[in-house]
Amino acid sequence: GNSVTQMEGPVTLSEEAFLTINCTYTATGYPSLFWYVQYPGEGLQLLLKATKADDKGSNKGFEATYRKETTSFHLEKGSVQVSDSAVYFCALSKAAGNKLTFGGGTRVLVKP
Amino acid sequence: EPEVTQTPSHQVTQMGQEVILRCVPISNHLYFYWYRQILGQKVEFLVSFYNNEISEKSEIFDDQFSVERPDGSNFTLKIRSTKLEDSAMYFCASSDEQKTSYEQYFGPGTRLTVT
């Protein structure tokens, strides 16, 4: 079956540091890939997405590139802020109406 | 911007009681989902719903769970006889069949506490 593996947290960084969260997936074919973010006490928000190999999703300074050859979709941000403190979830979906399969989530804490 | 809404935001119930969690998906979306997240753990799929029937369900979604679209806007999750282990955050989501990227939009969640 499909699965998503993320690096375990928590990841603690200083403001303006570079953030990378690794995500790899197992799935047949060409799933769509997503990063969702969950701020403290809130629901899941779609952060960015990519639908095919070599696509780069980007939003709010975050980027992730769909790498078919390494089955990866690592999330990066060049300069984090305290407001980026949240839990980040990598996820995939195989088709319209299919469930999202989530990774375990990575908690990020950015200190001033 | 359209959004998914859920009520109540927090529900406390006693073990063995029935609960109904309510969701209003985005109006032009045709796929609906329920997920749950036990505190501090990963987000788990429960069920998907399309064209007035369940399209997929997980092994968590046993006979104690049911879903319904009672009218043109609401989508509900019923737990018939709650257990302590049903305590979790329950998220409703919806998606548009027209989009080729398959993204789902989530509501803010209902925190269910079973005592």
Side-chain angles (χ1 to χ4, degrees), chain A residues 4 30-34 36 38 41-46 49-51 87 89 93-105 107, chain B residues 31 33 35 37 40-45 48-49 55-56 58 89 91 95-109 111:
Chain A
V4 177
Y30 292 87
S32 288
L33 302 175
F34 307 92
Y36 282 84
Q38 185 177 32
E42 298 186 14
L44 296 160
Q45 297 178 24
L46 178 65
K49 65 187 180 189
T51 58
V87 180
F89 291 93
S93 179
K94 289 295 298 293
N98 272 202
K99 65 184 180 187
L100 282 167
T101 299
F102 285 90
R107 182 175 300 278
Chain B
Y31 293 99
Y33 315 83
Y35 294 82
Q37 183 183 32
Q41 297 186 24
K42 69 189 297 183
V43 179
E44 301 173 293
F45 168 76
S48 57
F49 192 85
S55 46
E56 186 179 2
S58 71
M89 187 73 112
F91 293 107
S95 65
D96 179 355
E97 68 174 351
Q98 301 301 320
K99 283 202 182 284
T100 56
S101 52
Y102 319 145
E103 67 255 38
Q104 297 177 19
Y105 294 88
F106 285 75
R111 180 171 298 285

Side-chain angles (χ1 to χ4, degrees), chain A residues 26-106:
Chain A
T26 301
T28 55
Y30 292 87
S32 288
L33 302 175
F34 307 92
W35 278 99
Y36 282 84
V37 59
Q38 185 177 32
Y39 297 104
E42 298 186 14
L44 296 160
Q45 297 178 24
L46 178 65
L47 180 60
L48 53 83
K49 65 187 180 189
T51 58
K52 60 184 188 295
D54 300 324
D55 259 4
K56 178 185 282 189
S58 61
N59 186 26
K60 300 181 181 179
F62 289 90
E63 291 184 340
T65 301
Y66 190 143
R67 300 285 188 205
K68 181 69 175 170
E69 64 276 13
T70 54
T71 60
S72 65
F73 192 54
H74 304 321
L75 183 68
E76 297 181 336
K77 186 173 185 182
S79 176
V80 293
Q81 306 300 312
V82 172
S83 57
D84 294 324
S85 297
V87 180
Y88 293 83
F89 291 93
C90 186
L92 69 81
S93 179
K94 289 295 298 293
N98 272 202
K99 65 184 180 187
L100 282 167
T101 299
F102 285 90
T106 302

Side-chain angles (χ1 to χ4, degrees), chain B residues 1 8 15 26 34 57 68 70 78-79 81 86 105-106:
Chain B
E1 187 174 325
M15 198 167 51
I26 293 173
W34 284 101
K57 60 183 180 180
E68 192 178 36
K78 182 194 289 186
I79 309 175
S81 177
D86 293 327
Y105 294 88
F106 285 75

